[in-house]
Amino acid sequence: MKFFVDTADVDAIRDLADTGLVDGVTTNPSLIAKSGRDFVEVVKEICDIVDGPISAEVTATAYDEMVAEGRKLAKIHDNITVKVPLTRDGLKTCKSLSEEGTMVNVTLCFSANQALLAAKAGATFISPFVGRLDDIAMDGMQLISDIVEVYDNYPALMTEVLVASVRSPMHVLEAAKMGADVCTLPPDVLLALFNHPLTDKGLEAFLADWQKTGQSIL
Ligand code: E4P
């Protein structure tokens, strides 16, 4: 499974990329607003840090403007993945940009039927939002299972399932068990994956015993 980082915080991205485990980055207009920085400047910096798909979202809602924004964003770097919302105009934009060879991430997906439409429109990634479904007492992970099952029935569909709106390590584990292609993770969730209290306890005991030997490896 690929791990993307879901943030526009360049320092956090640099820190996580240092682990060698980051395959891409997703941003959205809210994350850009949170960063307080210029959109294009931030996206350029992210492209310099991570060598993988970097999602940058259009903010127009009508087809012509969406395509124009998408083309402008795609010129920033070869790794730019233009993010479009799952609307009729968004999917039309997805089809046009995909046919031009631009990677497209279709976002704000909340049903398997929407995911099927996005795949038919040539999306590189479909982003189902699991956390936001959980928030309204619906089963976010069931949506991932449904999309994986539907896509598996049609091997010609090349769209990758990118699990978004991830809130906890359990979402990641369940997504991996279901065979989702990508999880995009807030930095704190990615960092939490490293942790286990028995790892800390075990390491502490090993180091204490090693110190008693008086030896050193180097
Ligand atoms: C993904 O691409 C979205 O930017 C993100 O995962 C949304 O997450 P949220 O529901 O926590 O805002």
Side-chain angles (χ1 to χ4, degrees), residues 6 26-28 31 83 129 132 164-165 167 184:
D6 194 27
T26 50
T27 66
N28 64 38
L31 292 170
K83 210 173 180 189
F129 277 34
R132 292 193 195 188
S165 188
R167 303 274 163 79
T184 189

